Amino acid sequence: MFLFWRFPWLLLGLACAAAVSGAGWYLWTAHRRERQGDLAWRHQDHRMALERSMAVIDDMTWQEFERYVAELCRRDGCTEVSVVGGSGDLAADVVGNLPDARRLVVQVKHYAPHRVVPSGDMQKFVGMSFAEHKADVAVFVATCEFSRSARDLALKHNIVALNRNLFGSWNSGAPLMSLLPLSGAGGGPPQRRNTHRKRGRQGTA
């Protein structure tokens, strides 16, 4: 206390330092609260944007949805992508080549969110994707869930089944190649295309 009486500037300096420190703490905590609020707002806005985009997709016709899936394939580097769905499509709606040149065959079902893909739909795709369309990778895309029997068939026959949630990830920017391992066997037989070519060469020799 004697020092403060003898050196009043010391007391003034300590008071100023305390004031500056308090102001700094207040500004830092205010900035932190604002940043946390901004991150929460951004997360909420991102979630709402995804919900809005899925709502737009739900409003598409099945033809529009097939074309949209084809565009997602092109976005992720697939080549020679074409929409082949329609009468007599033999359970294939979109075909093309993955970035690594494997042949991609996609079945698309634009069902209401509350529905499930039945086993019969999966059976048709299993029967046609590899034997008829010579798929290296077969992908079944749906805007709903798959029935348990349909999922079991997909796992058994190396079909990549993208349900509503996985399609939502694809729609929001996840590359198709990153989603392939998440369902079924994922990549399909990686050397299948080369095997076809070798057999073809052997047959012509």
Side-chain angles (χ1 to χ4, degrees), residues 18-114:
V20 170
S21 177
W25 173 258
Y26 174 79
L27 291 174
W28 181 81
T29 54
H31 174 73
R32 184 178 180 183
R33 286 195 302 269
E34 181 180 354
R35 180 174 176 80
Q36 290 175 339
D38 181 65
L39 290 175
W41 177 84
R42 289 178 182 274
H43 177 75
Q44 176 72 5
D45 185 66
H46 178 65
R47 185 181 65 81
M48 291 178 65
L50 292 181
E51 290 178 354
R52 284 195 298 268
S53 64
M54 288 304 295
V56 170
I57 288 168
D58 289 337
D59 287 337
M60 290 180 179
T61 65
W62 63 267
Q63 297 97 330
E64 291 171 336
F65 186 58
E66 287 180 358
R67 292 193 293 269
Y68 183 68
V69 168
E71 285 302 315
L72 289 178
C73 292
R74 296 186 185 100
R75 181 201 72 185
D76 292 343
C78 296
T79 59
E80 300 181 25
V81 177
S82 60
V83 178
V84 296
S87 178
D89 59 22
L90 299 178
D93 296 312
V94 178
V95 297
N97 296 322
L98 289 169
D100 60 9
R102 287 180 294 171
R103 179 166 174 77
L104 173 68
V105 177
V106 184
Q107 170 69 280
V108 177
K109 289 299 181 185
H110 187 264
Y111 287 161
H114 66 273

Side-chain angles (χ1 to χ4, degrees), residues 144-162:
C144 61
E145 294 298 323
F146 291 89
S147 68
R148 181 172 181 176
S149 57
R151 290 198 307 270
D152 290 345
L153 280 172
L155 288 169
K156 182 178 180 180
H157 295 282
N158 298 338
I159 303 295
V160 181
L162 299 185

